[in-house]
Amino acid sequence: MWRKAAAVALVTAPIALAVATGVDPALGTGEVHGIYRAHPDATQWHSLLLHWAWVLFVPGMLGLLAPIRTRGAALARVAWVAVLLGLATFSALMVIDFFVLALEQNLPDAQAAAVTTRFEEQTPTMAGWQWPGLAGWALSLVLVPVAAARGRVISWWTAGAALLGTVLYFLFAISPVPVNLLGPVVLAGAYGAAGWQLVTRRPEAGEPDVFGAFRRRLSRICLYAAPAAFALGMLTAPAATSDRPVVLQLSALLLHLGWLLFVPAVLGIAARGRRFTRVAAGVTVVALLHFSALMVGDTADLAARQVLGDAAAGRVGETMGGFPLLAFGWALPGMALSLLGLIAVTVGAATDGLAGRWVPVLTVAGVAAFLVLAAGPAGVAGPLLIGVAFALLDRGLRAPAAHQDRREPVDQTAAVSAG
């Protein structure tokens, strides 16, 4: 089941990338400011589709790495981290296009440029978001196909085609149509072939599952690390956006990392669960990738308030919040399905006998506390309750599996079944 879901993600991600690249309003113009104001609809579609493309690449690439056992395991470890922490973070940066559009719809070019420059001068944000995002994005596109070919998940010809598509995309992404579509089209063919090979090939019998052991170990660590980062993010969040700007940036980064670290934790639960748990985990993983990305908006709002003042920055925020594609294609489903998904996954784990009934009860209480309580010391209650639930769940995951799908080995990436 997870192989088919990962294959679907591998096919749809480059298609979304091709469409996003084709509708980019800045193609070949050389314009720096004002282009978004002139093309608001194209800007929103471009940014949303680009974000979705990179989000879909995450479960697709994790699924492509999953069958690797011993051969290629060292490279797969690096690629796995690059995908989870780098590529996922890079997808978050697409929200800045919506922010710039909101600036241009409320301000003259000079003021919009001043806010953008101030945002780019925020060292904690650049070091925590842009640098690892760009590095992880590039490493993912290069290392994943090579690791998959080394592990005999895909052919070397397929890996070569994926690398060629990546090079073409790097070179021509902002060129005029149709030159800019060369990379996405080649990537679509390469990852379509990779998805087919992922579904039809099986790992060699008898090869020790070295890479699988690495993923399972990190999943268990993230059962504790995700609620901890979540709690620290809530604890350090200032009462007002303009208070302690460096602390606000660190708080936003911790919250982003907290939601991201829930991804391997959820995947580890899904590996031991039955169908409902796997489907719930798949939806939750994709939702978490959307929700974690929104934290960069806090630092964008900070830059606006530092340059424009609270009143003007508030108008920019209202405009940004009113974009329907951002609200309904990204923000609302990301938050709602992340929180409901964590509950559904723990309910499934309890139903599957992996946890006691207190685990979903504590998770519900933690989600409710997060929604009701403000940031600061009181806001820590929500993540702590979820942390206790996940710690109890870890005890159940240590026990021998009570069941296993006879059609294919239970695998940690089963959660992408809904992705």
Side-chain angles (χ1 to χ4, degrees):
M1 181 172 64
W2 69 263
R3 292 173 182 265
K4 294 178 181 178
V8 170
L10 289 172
V11 171
T12 54
I15 293 175
L17 180 62
V19 178
T21 303
V23 301
D24 186 352
L27 291 175
T29 63
E31 297 288 341
V32 178
H33 303 295
I35 190 68
Y36 288 179
R37 183 191 298 114
H39 305 278
D41 293 336
T43 297
Q44 294 181 62
W45 278 110
H46 165 70
S47 301
L48 181 66
L49 288 169
L50 202 56
H51 167 72
W52 265 97
W54 301 125
V55 164
L56 289 171
F57 264 121
V58 172
M61 287 184 167
L62 292 179
L64 198 58
L65 293 171
I68 295 174
R69 296 196 171 188
T70 300
R71 189 183 293 105
L75 192 59
R77 292 188 187 99
V78 179
W80 191 91
V81 174
V83 170
L84 181 65
L85 298 182
L87 181 58
T89 299
F90 181 72
S91 74
L93 299 176
M94 305 306 115
V95 78
I96 299 304
D97 288 344
F98 286 96
F99 176 65
V100 174
L101 174 60
L103 288 173
E104 292 189 356
Q105 289 188 337
N106 285 274
L107 304 166
D109 290 348
Q111 283 187 297
V115 176
T116 304
T117 300
R118 182 69 191 93
F119 173 79
E120 294 172 349
E121 291 174 347
Q122 296 178 138
T123 301
T125 296
M126 293 299 101
W129 293 81
Q130 189 177 56
W131 301 346
L134 287 169
W137 168 63
L139 285 173
S140 298
L141 290 172
V142 172
L143 295 183
V144 169
V146 174
R150 178 74 178 91
R152 297 183 179 176
V153 180
I154 62 176
S155 70
W156 281 106
W157 286 107
T158 302
L163 293 176
L164 174 61
T166 296
V167 171
L168 291 173
Y169 181 72
F170 286 169
L171 291 176
F172 303 118
I174 58 173
S175 300
V177 177
V179 176
N180 64 329
L181 298 179
L182 290 174
V185 168
V186 174
L187 285 171
Y191 281 107
W196 173 256
Q197 292 166 25
L198 176 65
V199 171
T200 56
R201 292 189 177 189
R202 290 293 181 268
E204 296 181 6
E207 187 177 9
D209 193 6
V210 175
F211 181 54
F214 164 81
R215 298 194 320 276
R216 288 187 290 272
R217 185 165 57 250
L218 281 188
S219 292
R220 288 192 54 206
I221 291 173
C222 287
L223 287 168
Y224 301 91
F230 183 14
L232 287 173
M234 294 295 291
L235 180 64
T236 56
T241 301
S242 56
D243 292 345
R244 299 183 295 165
V246 173
V247 175
L248 181 141
Q249 294 175 67
L250 294 176
S251 173
L253 181 59
L254 284 167
L255 289 172
H256 165 69
L257 291 175
W259 295 117
L260 272 190
L261 292 174
F262 273 116
V263 169
V266 166
L267 293 178
I269 298 169
R272 297 286 299 276
R274 295 187 176 92
R275 182 171 294 273
F276 172 81
T277 306
R278 296 185 183 188
V279 172
V283 174
T284 306
V285 163
V286 175
L288 286 166
L289 294 171
H290 287 295
F291 188 30
S292 68
L294 296 174
M295 305 305 122
V296 75
D298 293 344
T299 60
D301 181 63
L302 170 64
R305 292 181 186 278
Q306 288 178 328
V307 174
L308 306 173
D310 290 344
R315 291 194 296 272
V316 171
E318 290 176 1
T319 299
M320 184 174 172
F323 294 143
L325 291 180
L326 177 61
F328 298 105
W330 185 337
L332 293 178
M335 180 175 183
L337 295 177
S338 292
L339 299 177
L340 292 175
L342 291 177
I343 294 172
V345 168
T346 54
V347 168
T351 303
D352 295 341
L354 300 174
R357 62 183 180 181
W358 283 108
V359 168
V361 171
L362 287 169
T363 305
V364 170
V367 169
F370 167 68
L371 294 174
V372 172
L373 300 177
V380 176
L384 287 181
L385 287 169
I386 295 174
V388 173
F390 274 42
L392 293 174
L393 182 53
D394 181 42
R395 295 175 58 187
L397 295 176
R398 295 181 192 180
H403 66 277
Q404 184 163 332
D405 190 337
R406 295 182 180 179
R407 292 172 296 176
E408 60 180 0
V410 172
D411 194 280
Q412 182 172 320
T413 54
V416 298
S417 58

